[in-house]
Amino acid sequence: MAQPRILILGAPGAGKGTQSANITDEFDVEHVTTGDALRSNKQMDISDMDTEYDTPGEYMDQGELVPDEVVNAIVDEALSQADGFVLDGYPRNLEQAEELEGMTDLDVVLYLDVSEEELVHRLTGRRMDPETGEIYHVEYNPPEDPEIEERLEQREDDTEETVRERLRVYRENTEPVVEYYDDQGTLERVDGEQAPDDVWESVKETIESTA
């Protein structure tokens, strides 16, 4: 089987990072995320675009959002360098989904389907060890050492209010992307509420039967 070109979709907390790592190992493809692609192309010359800055890095240094057209160019560059890939975190909206059509032919579009309440449960249960930066979960992955447990903190990003807002923004922008692929008949839904190993089995079987 040639190295597959995979798009993975899902809300924050759906498990895209975990499953992308599994896909990368199993199918020998690159994990392409918008964040990594931006960081590795910070110095890319975008002076020919009608943008405020000449490199993506300047937007990042100013703490500003990198414009869609720049993100599109960077993702295009990253995908053109990869034989096979799992693309994670892009497209975030319909315009980007349409851009992606012109960049590559996808073999598989995976959607990790998880209910909102389960996503809230997963995300609000995350805790960080301020000394090491390690991430734990009060239920799924508690630390064995009671001393570590004592000092765990909830990050601001993981409070219920923030989590529900993140999910609202995701639904508003990215749900239409899910519908876009569903309407095309290319969306493969995977039950993301199973145990991680079972999700992986479903993901693997879907890729092997579709790609």
Side-chain angles (χ1 to χ4, degrees), residues 37-187:
L38 279 169
R39 282 187 287 277
S40 55
N41 287 284
K42 279 177 78 163
Q43 298 313 315
M44 183 173 166
D45 182 5
I46 53 170
S47 56
D48 58 328
M49 295 187 192
D50 188 19
T51 51
E52 192 176 343
Y53 301 114
D54 291 339
T55 64
E58 288 171 83
Y59 283 96
M60 294 155 83
D61 295 342
Q62 298 298 325
E64 291 182 32
L65 272 179
V66 181
D68 263 12
E69 62 185 301
V70 178
V71 175
N72 295 342
I74 282 173
V75 170
D76 195 5
E77 178 69 18
L79 296 184
S80 69
Q81 291 170 7
D83 286 333
F85 56 79
V86 54
L87 177 58
D88 166 11
Y90 180 101
R92 285 182 190 271
N93 54 46
L94 264 183
E95 290 75 20
Q96 290 183 344
E98 285 161 1
E99 280 289 327
L100 184 58
E101 295 255 305
M103 294 180 200
T104 187
D105 293 322
L106 295 167
D107 295 312
V108 191
V109 180
L110 291 169
Y111 174 55
L112 300 180
D113 206 350
V114 181
S115 70
E116 172 138 348
E117 287 317 303
E118 174 61 19
L119 293 168
V120 170
H121 179 65
R122 287 181 186 181
L123 293 167
T124 55
R126 290 203 296 205
R127 298 290 182 273
M128 186 176 80
D129 180 346
E131 289 186 19
T132 62
E134 284 287 314
I135 300 289
Y136 296 92
H137 193 282
V138 290
E139 187 179 330
Y140 305 128
N141 179 29
E144 287 170 15
D145 183 341
E147 227 173 86
I148 295 176
E149 197 160 1
E150 286 282 296
R151 64 175 187 243
L152 291 184
E153 294 175 354
Q154 187 179 42
R155 297 181 310 179
E156 222 170 89
D157 273 5
D158 297 331
T159 63
E160 181 163 347
E161 190 183 347
T162 310
V163 163
R164 288 199 184 273
E165 175 59 17
R166 279 170 68 198
L167 293 174
R168 186 194 66 75
V169 170
Y170 165 79
R171 276 199 313 276
E172 196 175 288
N173 294 311
T174 313
E175 281 284 301
V177 174
V178 175
E179 285 165 20
Y180 174 79
Y181 289 110
D182 211 4
D183 289 346
Q184 286 188 350
T186 54
L187 191 76

